[in-house]
Amino acid sequence: MIQAVFFDIDDTLYHFTEANRLAASEVETYVCKELKIESDAWKDAVKQAQLRIGARLGQSSPTTHNRQIRFQNALEILHKPIYPHGTKLYQLYWDTVLKNAVPEPGVERMLDLLKKKGIHLGIGSDMTSYIQNKKLERLGLAPYFDSVITSEEAGSDKPNSSIFRLCIEKSGCAPEECLFIGDNWEKDVAGACAAGMHCACYSRYSRPPGWGEEYCFNSYEDCIQGDRIRIGKLTI
């Protein structure tokens, strides 16, 4: 019986891909106007910065998600002043993401129903803790969650087992009593299954392998059947 349900955040609770596109566009507009950097040069510098950080710390390091460090390195590559632009770019990026973050249809209703059933609700997400908590606040979903685990706290991005082990530990449940829901097949689904958890893929914004369709759903609203929730073969 499922006693705990964990959710990824980005492209699972809201459409991060679109919010990220809008935020990246705002950042690009700023650097083109204020620093006279060509669009292609900026994009290339950001890619180089990500590779530089990943090569130094490992691609699974949560630090690779830190936009302050990413933009700072990009400015260094372009020989542009870090101050005050690094911090301004960081704030502009995340302000735009948060402004465009809207909960997925039906997700709040599902969380409310799970909460009433006494299910432990948790977050298991890559990224840094501060900004992930700000997203939950912006979405209006923060009060539903009993635990929030990020890769920053766990020490490594998914599919590393550390984040799933911490989810299980904080829930106080056995792995087989936990369900993990995320959009990324390799990171969320395969990672959670390898940890002994039940898993499901929110596939509205992703393309899981064809053989994995039985684990997938693309609408929270369709999962709610009266006072029950049905996700794939699981009924809660």
Side-chain angles (χ1 to χ4, degrees), residues 93-110:
Y93 175 85
W94 285 121
D95 285 350
T96 305
V97 168
L98 293 172
K99 182 175 69 175
N100 290 280
V102 179
E104 288 296 291
V107 69
E108 186 167 9
R109 187 180 166 202
M110 177 185 283

Side-chain angles (χ1 to χ4, degrees), residues 134-189:
K134 291 298 292 183
K135 290 174 185 177
L136 293 175
E137 291 176 13
R138 167 63 182 174
L139 293 168
L141 304 177
Y144 286 105
F145 292 100
D146 304 298
S147 60
V148 176
I149 297 95
T150 63
S151 58
E152 183 180 35
E153 180 182 2
S156 184
D157 279 357
K158 295 173 284 187
N160 189 287
S161 62
S162 60
I163 193 166
F164 300 107
R165 289 199 307 267
L166 193 52
C167 287
I168 294 165
E169 177 185 326
K170 288 195 176 187
S171 73
C173 300
E176 61 271 18
E177 295 176 321
C178 299
L179 168 64
F180 195 97
I181 298 172
D183 69 292
N184 187 294
W185 186 267
E186 179 183 349
K187 287 191 168 190
D188 299 315
V189 180

Side-chain angles (χ1 to χ4, degrees), residues 38 76 89 202:
E38 294 294 329
E76 291 170 350
L89 291 173
Y202 183 63

